Amino acid sequence: MYNTREEEKIHIDWITVIIYILLVAFGALNIYSANSTPEHSSLFDFKTEYGKQFIWIGIAAIIVFFILLTDANFFQFSAYGIYGIILLLLLALLATGSFTAGAQAWFKIGAFKLQPSEFAKYATALALAKFLGTFDIKFIGKKNIMICFGIFILPMALTLLQNDTGSALVFACFFLVLFREGLSGWWLVLGLYLAAIFVFTILFPSLYLVGFILIICGIVAYFFKSHKQILYMCAIIFVASSVFIFSVDFMFSKLLQPHQQQRILVTLNQDVSEYYKHKATEFSLFKIDTKKKDEKKSKRDYSYNVRQSKISIGAGRWTGNGFNNGTQTKAKLVPEQHTDFIFCTVGEEYGFLGSALFVLTYLFFIGRLYFLAERQKTVFSRVYGYSCASIIFFHFFVNVGMALGLLPVIGIPLPFMSYGGSSLFSFSMLLFTFLKLDANRVHEINRM
Amino acid sequence: MERNHKLYIFQITLGVIGLIFIVRLFFLQIVDTSNYFKALSYGSNEVTIYPDRGTIVDRFGKLLVYNDAVYDLMAVPEKVKNFDKVRLCKVLQIDTFDFNQRILKAGRYNKKVASIIYKSLPINIYSQLQEILYDYPPFFIETKIDRRYNIKGAAHVLGYMGELTEKQLKAEKYYKPGDIKGMSGLEKGYETYLRGWKGRKLVLVDKFSKQQGSLAGGKFDSVPTTGQNIISSLDLDLQEFGEKLLANKIGSIVAIEPQTGEVLAMVNSPNYDPNLLVGQTRSKNFGALLMDPRKPLFNRAIKAGYPPGSTFKTIQALIGLQEGVLHPETRYYCSRGFHLGSLTVGCHAHGSPLNLENSIAQSCNAYYCNVYRSILDNPKYESVQDAYIQWSKYLNSFGIGVKTGIDIPEESTGILKKPAYFEKEFGKNWRSANVISMSIGQGQIGLTPLQMCNLSATIANKGYWITPHVVKAIGDNKWLPEEFKVKHKTMVESRYFDSVIVGMARVCKPGGTAGRQGIEGIEICAKTGTAQNPHGEDHSIFIAFAPKDTPKIAIAVVVENGGFGNTYAAPIANLLIERYLALDRVVPTKRPDMLEKMLKANLVGAAIYNLLKVDSTLLKPIIPLKAQ
Ligand SMILES: [Zn+2]
């Protein structure tokens, strides 16, 4: 027993561990910056967010310690069990939610709020890895694909029902894992194409869009006149796209309530009045009654976050204002800065040089995880590794993209950095379970 | 190999996203500076730091005007929310309704710019507010300055400060609502020197919590530039003495140091206490002063054009001499006046004929009717009009009919008609006889007391004058604009002044028109004048300079409804000259009789009666006027 652990310790990927420690520490620094005031500047003031974050970090260390002590086979063995428990917890939340005022995303245990959706990603990663690991085959059949989809769509749906859209979207990252495991890349392309069309339909008059696709298809068809297959493809793409555009347009313009429309528009960083303006043009099939644009105010609250976020990051210039000196940060002008908008603090206090270094470090970290995942000898470890890397990747991409104003405001935390116990625990578990599996790789080799 | 291929796809994707993010960061942080500047303004209260306005001292360093701090409670209306209104209102001692009105009013001007919520906080409220303001981040206190006066007079020279109108605020971006600016006098003329330049401090403010100190360690703060102190050319002692002498009369005194053009005293009566136009009572008092029928705000010294009366004979003589139509020994007969056909200009009884010197000393009207005719009918010129134009040019070279260019604003040119005026009045072929009253300074001619004094100074200088100015030096390096060092040569050559000066020297000697108003031991050169006043008693006018050979002071005195020049204007001028030349100012006057008479005289009642046709005792003073 003693010997095995000794060997495992040697084989743990220290590069990843060091970056993990750096990210957690840097996160704590930024939370301190975002929340400390001259009156509350003591490091261990547990009434403050940063004080609490220190507690969470301590607990996370203990969790990590226990994970490293656990036998590597335990995770594969109990994957379905963990998955089942999380599903039950999510269901239980929905049930309590229906008793109380509205949908809730957490359990309250004493002073702590436990967010099962954070752990659901971990459980889903385990379950998916276990499922794919059971067939040690390269080809996944249609039926199995459906089961794979089911494994992550189930918790995704339950999370969505709690109105936690951001967390629900994260489950889409399992597509990436399936792509690695043999799912055709065309699925990803199709998914991206439909998402793009959906967004453009809302942003531009629908007839413009249809015309644009017609021109593109026409040009392609002209160059490949002799290839009948491509001609058919162009025709199918054009017809299918048009149908999709009109149905989206119809749903959006006619079926949704104005406030629902506005919410989506705001998520897309769109000026509501601009939308109504182009909806009133003759190039729109479904004209909107302009009297509907009453509830304009909600727009401001969403776009406010993005505007403030950009200002805050922009204030950093080359080298930033320095630790604990961000003016926007100190003024608490960006809402949710210590959680979802923690990147603003990085941008403002460490400037372009600091932020760029941070982005590169983080991407190196994720790249390292993909590299580790690829070198796994068992399908279970590999799938789990890809899941782990993809979950962190999706969070990073959406979170930073949102803070930079490139992506719609979707409230998901930046792993290891954002304030919050649930998120820190779940990401630490996710990561160290993988590192434990990776360290155990040697034994897998020996066993083989 | 298929596996590695997919790993590359993942890692290339990471690389592409990294590139996109870094390019975006570069755009947000480096290229687009607007975010940076928005950050500066969003996260802070811009507190204006008002510089000390320059103080004003008199020519001997006696403090006239200084500053006092006033505290305004400011707020950006947009940011005012989420605070304990009741507590704040209690400290401010206003009710919440009033408070809301103030916020609304400030918001109407501009929601995003800090406006005054409570102007000039009383000191007890201010100190209480300082203790609790910590809890009200959108609110801050701005320390502004207001003027305080060490004196009760000289109001017209110093001028007053006032708030800018909305129109002025739009035109002059330097000022914010609630700022005060020099609105008249020296305060207006030297506004840019006196005010300095505002500084600012960006104070970082938490949206919902506390004020958090200077932004970025004061990186964006700017230090105010203190206004420059001004040494006025005024002689406070002389100024105050002049005000005392002119009390209860309507009129004006201007005294100038001839060699430098420095204004030693500029007295207006009625005047007002400058302390009335400061602080919270400024607008109320200003309204009252503006409505007062005695026009206390009116700066007669530079704005009122009086017919110069016989003092004008000095310049007529000088022009005649230069034009060659008059010689010092030219004599004209006077039989109780000048007679030309049906035209008669009366004169008093005196010996006849007189030469030039005596014509001035005894102020013969007939003499100057002849002089003026000879100027206008000079065969050298094709027409009377041409001669008149030339004559006007002479006057202009003395600063008459034009602005002298004194450094306090809104100076008047006085009255000097163009030939066209007379054509309209008397027809195309008007003659010298039509304008003969101007020969003795009556009719269509008007000089401000400043121009009269400048005339006196020019004679004292024998032919040049320096633009009168009330500022002696500006700032620490005692700087003076070049324009106040330039000698303006008149069109009359220096040599022609002697006989006029000799004549003027006889005025205050036995036989002269002010023979009884002279002061022993001082050689005063002077000329009396009596300006006909169609509305009542004539105005008493006197110009003088002294001592004769080394003139140190030139003076002009106008006392409205004061009658003959020697009645009031001459004694007042001579008493002032006596005091000025007695440098220690403690020597008792040699003419206590004259001093007592002047101090006692009260002409305001008569003047008010003339003005309003009501008994002045019925007019209650709205604001106690100075020295009443
Ligand atoms: Zn006579």
Side-chain angles (χ1 to χ4, degrees), chain B residues 334 337 347-348 350 354 363-367:
Chain B
C334 171
C347 191
H348 57 96
H350 58 79
L354 298 172
S363 198
C364 176
N365 287 346
Y367 195 94

Side-chain angles (χ1 to χ4, degrees), chain A residues 37-39 138 176 179-180 182-183 304 307-308 310-311 313-318 327-328 330-333 343 347-348 351-352 355-356 359-360 363 366-367 370-371 374 382 386 390 393 396-397 400-401 404-406, chain B residues 2-4 6-7 9-11 13-15 17-36 38-44 78 134 204-212 215-216 219:
Chain A
T37 53
E39 303 89 78
K138 283 178 188 170
L176 295 175
F179 166 67
R180 164 64 188 82
L183 186 70
Y304 177 80
R307 204 171 60 231
Q308 290 299 341
K310 282 198 268 188
I311 290 168
I313 292 169
R317 314 285 282 136
W318 278 105
T327 59
Q328 300 285 291
K330 295 271 98 183
K332 292 186 181 136
L333 286 168
F343 185 72
E348 188 180 15
F352 172 72
S355 323
V359 166
L360 290 177
L363 287 169
I366 296 166
Y370 277 124
F371 168 75
E374 190 60 45
R382 188 181 65 222
Y386 265 94
S390 298
F393 174 46
F396 172 79
F397 175 65
V400 176
L404 290 174
L406 292 171
Chain B
E2 159 61 2
R3 292 188 172 183
N4 276 333
K6 290 221 170 156
L7 178 64
I9 292 179
F10 277 93
Q11 295 192 324
T13 309
L14 289 180
I17 285 167
L19 191 69
I20 292 171
F21 280 6
I22 286 170
V23 167
R24 176 68 172 173
L25 277 169
F26 189 79
F27 176 76
L28 281 181
Q29 299 185 300
I30 312 298
V31 179
D32 181 6
T33 50
S34 73
N35 286 319
Y36 172 67
K38 272 182 207 152
L40 292 187
S41 58
Y42 266 120
S44 54
E78 188 183 55
Y134 201 61
L204 185 55
V205 167
D206 184 310
K207 195 176 169 198
F208 300 111
S209 176
K210 315 270 160 131
Q211 297 211 349
Q212 304 194 327
L215 180 85
K219 204 158 109 191

